[in-house]
Amino acid sequence: MGLLPKYKIEELKREKRLAKAAKKRKEKTRSKIVRFLIVCEGACTEPNYFQALIKDKYSEVRDEEIIGEGKSTCALVKRALQIRQELEKKRQLTFDRVWVVFDKDDFNDFNEAITLAANNSLQCAWTNEAFELWYFLHFQYLDTGINRHDYIVKLQNEIRKHPDYENYIYQKNDVSTYQILTTIGNENFAKQCAERLRSMFIGDTDYKEHKPCTMVDLLVSELENPEKLL
């Protein structure tokens, strides 16, 4: 077999260099860390859930108890901005994504808080009315607006249908909730339900009237697939 022409040898060398460079880019992308900051309302429900979900030490979940009359939700967003600034300055590292997690509750600044977050490049995993809606969607679709207590009753009834959980009592600070949901619930179904609920309010920016509705699944998906943010 004769020697390859010079132009063919150069072409093979070029292809080899390109393949090597592509491999390096891929390895660099794969090893990049996506840093999340998640700031939740003061209750233990949301922080415990996200702490169980986060897989690495480079992200952080904070729970903040904001006390005020009717302005607690905006205060939480402002506190998230302050925490981001403090931590980034202290660690000399920036967060790739900052999320604020809150419910509708009885505060009158719900819409204002969502707008404030968007104006400051924060993401909102809000729920109207209660975070427990996200839990319940792991078992059933629900498009009727009910109060927090009723969500808890319905959630308990669904979980009690499963063996070993017949006497289950929901507690907001239960660190095993994430494990329960992923063991006997269906997270993919919950995501589909959440998306279906949002589709009912497309084009409507009066978020306080989006009931029931949740954005929690969007944060969950990012935490589970951070590489998609690269």
Side-chain angles (χ1 to χ4, degrees):
M1 186 175 181
L3 294 174
L4 291 173
K6 185 176 181 180
Y7 80 90
K8 192 65 176 178
I9 295 175
E10 292 300 323
E11 184 178 330
L12 290 174
K13 287 182 178 179
R14 179 175 176 274
E15 290 177 355
K16 188 175 181 179
R17 287 196 301 269
L18 290 174
K20 188 176 181 180
K23 183 180 179 181
K24 284 185 176 180
R25 287 195 299 270
K26 187 174 181 180
E27 290 175 347
K28 184 178 179 181
T29 298
R30 187 182 297 132
S31 63
K32 186 181 185 327
I33 296 165
V34 179
R35 291 179 171 84
F36 289 87
L37 172 62
I38 304 168
V39 181
C40 307
E41 289 175 300
C44 295
T45 307
E46 297 90 336
N48 285 344
Y49 175 83
F50 290 115
Q51 288 282 15
L53 194 155
I54 285 179
K55 303 293 193 299
D56 63 75
K57 63 182 180 181
Y58 299 103
S59 298
E60 185 156 344
V61 178
R62 288 289 189 95
D63 59 310
E64 293 292 320
E65 184 173 3
I66 307 296
I67 301 174
E69 295 184 7
K71 287 290 182 182
S72 291
T73 310
C74 276
L76 182 71
V77 174
K78 293 175 182 177
R79 179 61 182 141
L81 291 169
Q82 184 180 4
I83 291 173
R84 178 178 67 179
Q85 183 179 26
E86 291 173 351
L87 291 180
E88 289 183 343
K89 181 178 180 181
K90 178 180 179 181
R91 301 173 182 177
Q92 295 297 300
L93 290 169
T94 59
F95 288 102
D96 299 286
R97 300 286 275 179
V98 181
W99 282 83
V100 185
V101 183
F102 55 86
D103 295 345
K104 170 63 174 67
D105 289 325
D106 297 322
F107 302 123
N108 60 20
D109 62 340
F110 190 67
N111 289 358
E112 185 181 345
I114 294 172
T115 301
L116 178 63
N119 290 341
N120 287 277
S121 300
L122 303 187
Q123 311 300 314
C124 283
W126 56 262
T127 303
N128 190 351
E129 170 170 336
F131 192 79
E132 284 78 9
L133 166 64
W134 167 244
Y135 291 170
F136 182 73
L137 293 179
H138 283 68
F139 302 96
Q140 278 193 32
Y141 175 71
L142 177 69
D143 59 7
T144 303
I146 57 178
N147 62 41
R148 184 185 299 273
H149 173 73
D150 290 338
Y151 279 122
I152 292 174
V153 172
K154 284 180 170 291
L155 179 62
Q156 287 183 159
N157 290 338
E158 286 299 319
I159 293 177
R160 288 172 181 174
K161 293 177 183 179
H162 297 266
D164 300 325
Y165 292 96
E166 292 85 353
N167 298 314
Y168 173 80
I169 297 177
Y170 176 76
Q171 295 181 341
K172 291 181 68 65
N173 61 349
D174 188 352
V175 296
S176 68
T177 300
Y178 176 78
Q179 182 180 1
I180 292 173
L181 294 174
T182 54
T183 301
I184 64 174
N186 188 328
E187 185 184 278
N188 287 331
F189 177 70
K191 290 177 179 178
Q192 293 170 8
C193 290
E195 186 175 356
R196 183 178 171 187
L197 288 175
R198 286 196 298 275
S199 70
M200 298 168 54
F201 305 104
I202 293 176
D204 182 0
T205 56
D206 189 6
Y207 306 108
K208 69 180 185 301
E209 298 301 326
H210 296 197
K211 185 177 179 180
C213 194
T214 184
M215 308 287 280
V216 172
D217 61 301
L218 302 180
L219 172 53
V220 171
S221 293
E222 284 197 4
L223 291 172
E224 291 177 339
N225 304 283
E227 70 279 357
K228 292 184 177 180
L229 298 171
L230 300 177

